[in-house]
Structure formats: structure tokens, C-alpha cells
């Protein structure tokens, strides 16, 4: 659950620190005081999209920080481990929104990107606002709401269906492309075959171009190399006169003759001896190089032709032999797919039909599981609506088959209701009033709260459009949800405020020409005064105060 929230330079909030506890906490205050801004801050800590407009005028950045107790939230710890973040019982999330438009997110001190923060946030917080009624108004969202009831029941089958659907779609796309332009298909096959044959015919070997260039340089400079070796050998081992080797040999003998008379002479003798043997080794290597020298005019042409072949292949297929061979492997695989066994058009069509039938079979299994889930959801919703003074309302999940399979299955799902006996079931989006939508969504949220496992659920004015006993029923329902998850609730209804375990008052004031938002935890007397204002307006009367005390007393006795 959310333990601590710190906000700095965010919208109209200069600085705000708040503590939260388990149970139901209600935020009250006049419209525009900043209640929803606080919820926006929590939403950003859960990975919501930020904006420079959130940065308070005159500030360089907005800073948000939340501390969450995740000791018993296995889902959050699993996500943290997947992201390489050490899970701790107290999770600290910090987010900075800079005036430049950049956003910096940290989780337990580790910088994460927005997608990672959103993955974590989805396990921590569920924000439910007035705009979420749009999900009920949009039948395209009803399938997602249905599966949210008990996703584990369909997860495995849905994953297998989607894998089959993707395989079918990929194969069908290939078939359609082939049928659409068979001429281009054949051209592509011919081109790939030509390229494969051309590269294979060259019998390339990695590194051979470097060896060939070295050999070409030797052949082009053959005469210079030959002359240098001959001159060197003549100096090292001359048959006329005294050679360099002989002269060093004489020096070695002379120095060895006096080596016993001084350590310096001995060191010189050793060094000359090493030089003599090194020179002998060099002489032998020069002799061997001369013996191996052979001029073959045709070899230079062969080397140049081979290098030219490699150059032409590099221009077409890659900057190096390694890249050319990688390209060869890639086009061989593509050619195999296009021409391999079973991949001509007739065989491909047969394979596509086979994959389609597999997809439909798994889709039918998925539909059956969804329909069983729908029966349970219908009953659960009816039970919840009965507690919200909609006991005569019938709720039904209607299934219609799609003309062709889609990624989410074979089903179009739509919620139908019958608010009054004797009427036909009709689409929820067309006949439900605002108050009915609020209650139906709250009924769904009550059901889902038992399964979602998130630490905190936030309701942002979901009680708009209701009053009287319905308002009391909604208050009871929200409090019921707090038995499974921490609940933070923004409300203008005194019944909801009185039902809460804790109440925070949000107010704004102008200081030195700047609007400031303050958050105050109300004690018992403070709650009486605030709820009395919610009942009667700004001017408190003894009657409104008495009524507020009565509401709180009733809720205290109910708790």
C-alpha cells in the first residue's frame, strides 16, 4: 500500500507531504482545491505520462516521491526481480519532471525507463476515475473487462490461440503476397538464386583478401625485394674479402681472449657472441629467402583477377568477406523458404488452411471458457448491484462471432442490461444513466478487487450523479473494497466521507499572489465540521453539525 507521498513544485502544489494507512481514506475539499492533482501525482509515480505543464510556474522541475509497502505483494517483487532491482519491503519511487520535457524515474535509487516504471506501477496502483465510465460505454472494451474477472482461467488457452493466430497470419500474408504478384515472387526467386550462385562460385575464404593483397605487393616489388636480399647476403657472407659475419666473429674471438681480465670485457664478449649468432641466423634466413624467390609473371595476373572478383562481390553484397558470407546465409534461408518443399503456391494454400482450422479450433475453446466465465460474472454483478439498489436490474454478457479470427479471439462481447422488469435487454452503452454506469463500474471493481492483487485502489469522484440511499450504498461498496486493498477516494458526498476510516482535507489559498494547496488530516471534530459543510454548504448550522455527527456515529457503529 502507499505509505508516504511527497510532492514538490507540481501544478499548484509548492510542497506537500502526506502519510496514508490501510483501509479507506477519503480526500475532500472544494472543487479546484487540488484533490485530483494529488491523484495525478500518484498516477505519475505509477508510470503515467507526464508533461511540462505539470511543473509549477517558476520552478525548474517537479519532484514526486512515494513509499510503498510491498511486503505481501508478490507480483511487484517479481517485476522488480525481472528488471534487476533488489526487492525491499519498502519500495521508494521517485520521479522528476523537468521543464525541458525530460523525465527521470528512480526505483529504490535505480534509474528506470517509463515502460519499466509502468510495469511496476500496474502491480501497485489502480486509478479509477470518471473517465473510466467510457470503458462501459465502449463495447470494444467489454471483452477486456470480462477477462479481467478471472484471467487465469483463460490465460493458457488464449496464449496458445494467439500463437496459432500469429503463425496463420504470417503464412497467410505470404500466400496473399504470392498470389497478388506472382511475377515479382518469381523475379525475387531468380534474383536470390543468381546471388547465391555468384557468391558460392567465388569460394570465398575469410581473410584471403588480406593475404592476396600482401602477395600482390610482393610480386609488384619482386625486383626491389630480390636486389635487397642479394645485397644483404653479399655483405653478410661475401666470398670476396671479409664478410660482416667474419668480422664480428673476429671481434668475438678477440674479446673472449681478454674476458678473464675484467667483468666489463666479459660482458662485451658475451654481447658480441650473441650478436654473432644472431647474425648467423639472419644470414641463414636471407639465404633461405633468396632460394625461395621465384618470378612467375602469370601469378601476378591471377592474384589481381582474384582481388578484382572479391572487390566486385564487396560492391554488391558487403564491405568485407565476413559480411558477404553473412548475406549469403541470409538469402539462402529466404530462398529455402520461398522454394523449399511444401512452399509452392498450392502447398502454401493447403498449409494456410490447416493453420486457419487450428486457429479456429483454439478460438472455439477460448470462447467456451469465456462463456463459462461470463455466467459467473453475470451472477456476481447481479449480486453486487442488488446491494447498490439495482436489485431488479438484469446484466448479461452477449457473445457474437467475428467474421474472421482476430488476435483477441473469435468473439465480439457486449454488456447488456435491463434496468426495469418487462423491458428488453439492451446495450449498456445506449440506455444506462450516469448514476447507473457509476454503480455498474463500482460493482465490477468490487468483484475485480479480490483478484487484482494491487496494493492501492484510487477512486476519483466515481460517485458523481448519485444521492440519498444510493450514495450510502456506494459508500458501503467502496469501504467493502478497502477490505481487500488500500482505498483512496475523492468524493463530494457526505455519506462517502463519513464511511471512510480516515479523512484528509484539501484546500487552496493565495499567498503573495501564488496559489498554494494544503493537505490536512482531520481529527474527529474536524471531520464533523467538514462533513457538515458537505451537507449544508459554507454556513454551518447546529442541525448540519448534528447530522454530520449522526452520520459518523452510524458509520462507526457499522464498522
Amino acid at each position: 500500500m502507499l505509505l508516504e507521498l511527497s510532492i514538490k513544485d507540481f501544478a499548484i502544489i509548492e510542497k506537500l507531504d502526506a502519510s496514508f494507512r490501510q483501509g479507506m481514506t477519503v480526500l475532500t475539499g472544494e472543487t479546484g482545491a487540488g484533490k485530483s492533482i494529488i491523484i495525478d501525482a500518484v498516477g505519475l509515480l505509477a508510470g503515467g505520462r507526464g508533461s511540462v505543464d505539470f511543473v509549477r510556474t517558476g520552478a525548474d522541475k517537479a519532484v514526486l516521491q512515494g513509499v510503498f509497502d510491498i511486503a505481501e505483494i508478490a507480483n511487484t517483487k517479481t517485476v522488480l526481480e525481472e528488471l534487476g532491482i533488489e526487492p525491499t519491503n519498502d519500495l521508494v519511487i521517485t520521479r522528476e519532471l523537468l521543464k525541458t520535457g525530460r523525465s527521470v524515474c528512480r526505483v529504490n535509487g535505480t534509474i528506470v525507463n517509463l515502460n519499466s516504471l509502468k510495469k511496476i506501477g500496474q502491480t501497485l496502483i489502480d486509478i479509477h476515475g470518471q473517465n473510466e465510465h467510457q470503458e462501459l460505454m465502449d463495447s470494444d472494451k467489454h471483452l477486456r473487462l470480462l477477462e479481467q474477472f478471472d484471467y487465469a482461467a483463460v490465460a493458457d488457452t488464449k496464449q496458445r490461440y494467439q500463437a496459432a493466430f500469429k503463425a496463420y497470419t504470417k503464412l497467410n500474408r505470404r500466400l496473399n503476397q504470392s498470389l497478388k504478384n506472382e511475377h515479382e515472387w518469381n523475379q525475387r526467386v531468380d534474383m536470390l538464386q543468381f546471388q547465391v550462385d555468384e557468391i558460392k562460385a567465388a569460394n570465398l575464404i575469410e581473410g584471403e583478401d588480406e593475404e592476396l593483397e600482401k602477395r600482390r605487393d610482393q610480386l609488384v616489388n619482386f625486383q626491389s625485394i630480390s636486389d635487397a636480399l642479394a645485397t644483404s647476403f653479399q655483405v653478410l657472407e661475401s666470398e670476396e674479402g671479409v664478410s660482416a659475419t667474419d668480422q664480428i666473429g673476429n671481434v668475438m674471438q678477440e674479446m673472449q681472449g681478454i674476458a678473464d681480465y675484467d667483468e666489463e670485457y666479459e660482458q662485451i664478449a658475451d654481447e658480441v657472441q650473441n650478436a654473432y649468432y644472431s647474425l648467423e641466423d639472419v644470414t641463414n634466413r636471407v639465404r633461405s629467402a633468396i632460394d625461395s624467390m621465384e618470378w612467375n609473371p602469370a601469378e601476378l595476373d591471377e592474384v589481381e583477377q582474384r582481388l578484382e572478383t572479391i572487390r566486385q562481390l564487396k560492391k554488391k553484397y558487403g564491405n568485407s568477406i565476413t559480411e558477404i558470407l553473412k548475406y549469403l546465409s541470409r538469402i539462402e534461408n529466404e530462398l529455402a523458404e520461398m522454394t523449399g518443399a511444401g512452399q509452392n503456391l498450392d502447398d502454401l494454400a493447403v498449409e494456410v488452411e490447416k493453420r486457419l482450422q487450428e486457429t479456429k479450433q483454439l478460438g472455439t475453446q477460448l470462447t467456451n471458457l469465456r462463456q463459462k466465465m461470463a455466467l459467473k460474472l453475470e451472477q456476481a454483478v447481479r449480486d453486487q448491484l442488488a446491494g447498490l439498489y439495482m436489485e431488479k436490474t438484469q446484466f448479461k454478457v452477449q457473445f457474437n462471432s467475428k467474421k474472421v479470427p482476430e488476435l483477441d479471439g473469435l468473439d465480439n462481447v457486449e454488456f447488456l442490461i435491463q434496468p426495469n422488469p418487462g423491458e428488453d435487454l439492451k446495450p449498456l452503452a445506449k440506455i444506462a444513466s450516469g448514476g447507473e454506469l457509476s454503480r455498474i463500474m463500482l460493482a465490477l471493481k468490487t468483484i475485480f478487487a479480490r483478484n487484482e492483487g494491487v496494493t492501492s485502489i484510487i477512486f476519483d469522484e466515481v460517485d458523481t450523479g448519485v444521492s440519498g440511499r444510493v450514495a450510502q450504498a456506494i459508500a458501503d461498496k467502496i469501504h467493502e473494497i478497502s477490505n481487500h486493498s488500500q482505498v483512496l477516494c475523492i468524493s463530494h458526498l457526505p455519506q462517502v466521507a463519513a464511511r471512510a476510516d480516515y479523512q484528509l482535507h484539501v484546500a487552496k489559498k493565495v499567498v503573495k499572489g501564488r496559489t498554494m494547496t494544503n493537505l490536512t488530516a482531520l481529527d474527529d471534530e474536524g471531520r464533523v465540521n467538514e462533513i457538515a459543510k458537505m451537507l449544508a454548504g459554507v454556513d454551518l448550522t447546529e442541525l448540519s453539525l448534528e447530522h454530520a455527527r449522526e452520520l459518523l456515529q452510524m458509520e462507526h457503529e457499522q464498522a
Side-chain angles (χ1 to χ4, degrees):
M1 67 176 183
L2 176 62
L3 297 175
E4 303 286 340
L5 177 65
S6 176
I7 302 173
K8 183 178 179 182
D9 292 328
F10 183 73
I12 62 173
I13 298 176
E14 180 181 28
K15 188 170 184 0
L16 184 148
D17 295 300
S19 299
F20 299 94
R21 289 182 278 184
Q22 184 65 34
M24 177 181 171
T25 298
V26 66
L27 280 70
T28 59
E30 294 182 4
T31 300
K35 300 184 296 299
S36 292
I37 294 175
I38 296 172
I39 301 306
D40 289 339
V42 178
L44 288 171
L45 289 175
R49 190 159 298 280
S51 168
V52 294
D53 295 333
F54 282 126
V55 181
R56 194 167 188 262
T57 301
D60 294 329
K61 63 182 179 179
V63 182
L64 311 172
Q65 188 172 80
V67 181
F68 296 84
D69 178 2
I70 62 167
E72 299 180 4
I73 310 300
N75 290 345
T76 306
K77 291 183 177 180
T78 299
V79 174
L80 290 173
E81 289 171 351
E82 290 173 353
L83 296 173
I85 300 173
E86 183 68 26
T88 57
N89 287 342
D90 285 350
L91 180 70
V92 180
I93 298 178
T94 305
R95 186 165 179 184
E96 297 179 356
L97 302 175
L98 280 68
K99 197 67 176 177
T100 59
R102 289 181 59 243
S103 175
V104 181
C105 313
R106 291 183 177 86
V107 178
N108 279 357
T110 301
I111 294 179
V112 298
N113 60 34
L114 192 58
N115 285 336
S116 297
L117 181 62
K118 186 175 292 186
K119 287 182 181 178
I120 298 169
Q122 287 172 345
T123 69
L124 292 173
I125 298 168
D126 177 18
I127 298 179
H128 173 55
Q130 295 180 71
N131 61 338
E132 288 197 28
H133 293 166
Q134 299 304 315
E135 288 191 324
L136 288 178
M137 299 295 286
D138 185 356
S139 59
D140 290 340
K141 304 289 180 62
H142 291 179
L143 177 59
R144 187 192 68 80
L145 289 171
L146 169 64
E147 289 191 342
Q148 192 178 342
F149 176 57
D150 186 11
Y151 185 71
V154 298
D156 179 66
T157 302
K158 186 172 184 178
Q159 288 171 5
R160 289 188 292 120
Y161 166 82
Q162 290 185 332
F165 173 80
K166 290 175 182 177
Y168 155 72
T169 302
K170 181 179 179 181
L171 212 57
N172 191 48
R173 189 182 301 117
R174 187 187 303 170
L175 175 62
N176 289 334
Q177 183 62 34
S178 304
L179 294 172
K180 181 180 179 181
N181 202 333
E182 191 172 356
H183 177 66
E184 286 186 7
W185 176 277
N186 291 331
Q187 280 187 327
R188 178 68 177 168
V189 169
D190 290 343
M191 184 191 72
L192 291 175
Q193 188 64 61
F194 171 81
Q195 292 179 346
V196 167
D197 293 342
E198 183 179 31
I199 297 173
K200 279 190 166 183
N203 291 316
L204 295 175
I205 301 173
E206 290 196 37
E208 70 167 307
D209 49 346
E210 297 173 1
E211 293 295 326
L212 287 167
E213 288 169 356
K214 177 180 175 182
R215 181 57 179 158
R216 179 194 58 193
D217 292 343
Q218 291 174 347
L219 291 170
V220 168
N221 297 284
F222 182 86
Q223 191 60 50
S224 299
I225 296 171
S226 179
D227 291 347
L229 288 172
T231 300
S232 300
F233 186 74
Q234 186 176 5
V235 172
L236 290 168
E237 193 170 278
S238 174
E239 294 181 359
E240 300 177 1
V242 182
S243 68
T245 307
D246 290 339
Q247 292 183 40
I248 295 299
N250 291 335
V251 173
M252 178 181 68
Q253 290 178 358
E254 292 296 332
M255 292 306 300
Q256 285 177 340
I258 63 173
D260 293 338
Y261 302 127
D262 193 290
E263 289 184 0
E264 178 68 15
Y265 301 156
E266 184 179 6
Q267 289 179 3
I268 294 173
D270 290 340
E271 291 176 8
V272 172
Q273 183 178 16
N274 291 335
Y276 175 77
Y277 289 127
S278 295
L279 205 56
E280 271 196 334
D281 181 59
V282 169
T283 302
N284 291 332
R285 290 167 65 186
V286 171
R287 182 189 296 113
S288 176
I290 293 173
D291 292 342
S292 64
M293 291 287 289
E294 181 179 356
W295 172 245
N296 182 359
E299 184 182 1
L300 180 58
D301 289 338
E302 292 173 359
V303 170
E304 289 286 13
Q305 289 175 9
R306 180 62 174 171
L307 282 172
E308 180 60 25
T309 297
I310 294 173
R311 274 195 295 270
Q312 292 300 322
L313 291 174
K314 284 181 178 180
K315 287 171 65 176
K316 294 180 180 180
Y317 308 119
N319 294 323
S320 66
I321 290 178
T322 299
E323 288 185 12
I324 294 171
L325 293 176
K326 286 181 179 178
Y327 178 76
L328 173 63
S329 176
R330 190 164 64 250
I331 62 175
E332 281 183 321
N333 291 335
E334 183 179 350
L335 187 62
E337 286 185 359
M338 297 179 74
T339 63
Q343 295 306 309
N344 60 55
L345 290 183
D346 291 339
D347 291 340
L348 191 58
V350 171
E351 183 65 18
V352 167
E353 181 60 27
K354 178 182 175 183
R355 293 296 180 93
L356 176 59
Q357 295 308 317
E358 290 176 357
T359 301
K360 286 183 176 180
Q361 184 178 5
L362 284 167
T364 300
Q365 294 177 21
L366 181 58
T367 297
N368 292 337
L369 291 174
R370 285 170 171 168
Q371 288 175 341
K372 291 179 181 178
M373 185 192 301
L375 293 174
K376 295 179 181 179
L377 178 62
E378 289 169 356
Q379 185 59 52
V381 170
R382 286 194 292 267
D383 291 344
Q384 290 297 327
L385 291 178
L388 290 166
Y389 296 100
M390 293 179 69
E391 62 276 357
K392 295 182 180 180
T393 297
Q394 294 299 309
F395 176 86
K396 183 173 179 59
V397 181
Q398 177 175 277
F399 283 78
N400 292 307
S401 298
K402 294 180 178 178
K403 293 180 180 179
V404 294
E406 295 180 7
L407 182 61
D408 60 3
L410 309 178
D411 310 312
N412 283 316
V413 169
E414 185 170 19
F415 294 162
L416 307 180
I417 66 166
Q418 181 195 63
N420 303 300
E423 298 180 359
D424 293 333
L425 283 161
K426 293 180 181 179
L428 174 67
K430 293 183 179 179
I431 65 171
S433 67
E436 287 171 336
L437 285 173
S438 295
R439 283 181 279 175
I440 292 171
M441 180 55 84
L442 191 56
L444 291 171
K445 190 61 65 175
T446 305
I447 296 166
F448 297 156
R450 302 166 184 168
N451 306 324
E452 288 176 340
V454 295
T455 95
S456 302
I457 297 177
I458 297 174
F459 293 105
D460 188 359
E461 299 191 35
V462 297
D463 47 25
T464 301
V466 299
S467 59
R469 64 174 188 169
V470 174
Q472 184 61 54
I474 286 180
D476 293 340
K477 197 61 64 179
I478 293 175
H479 194 273
E480 180 183 340
I481 294 173
S482 72
N483 293 328
H484 304 282
S485 298
Q486 177 193 47
V487 168
L488 307 181
C489 177
I490 293 178
S491 179
H492 291 284
L493 291 179
Q495 294 93 331
V496 174
R499 192 72 178 90
D501 300 305
Y502 312 101
Q503 185 170 351
L504 303 177
H505 181 250
V506 182
K508 67 179 180 180
K509 59 182 178 179
V510 178
V511 179
K512 296 181 180 179
R514 295 297 302 274
T515 302
M516 316 278 283
T517 292
N518 294 316
L519 183 69
T520 305
L522 300 179
D523 57 17
D524 290 344
E525 193 57 32
R527 293 189 69 182
V528 169
N529 289 334
E530 177 62 17
I531 293 172
K533 290 178 184 178
M534 297 172 74
L535 287 165
V538 177
D539 296 327
L540 295 180
T541 66
E542 189 56 42
L543 183 61
S544 62
L545 289 169
E546 185 61 32
H547 191 184
R549 291 191 186 92
E550 184 180 0
L551 266 179
L552 285 167
Q553 181 61 32
M554 288 172 58
E555 299 303 342
H556 177 73
E557 292 174 355
Q558 187 173 346

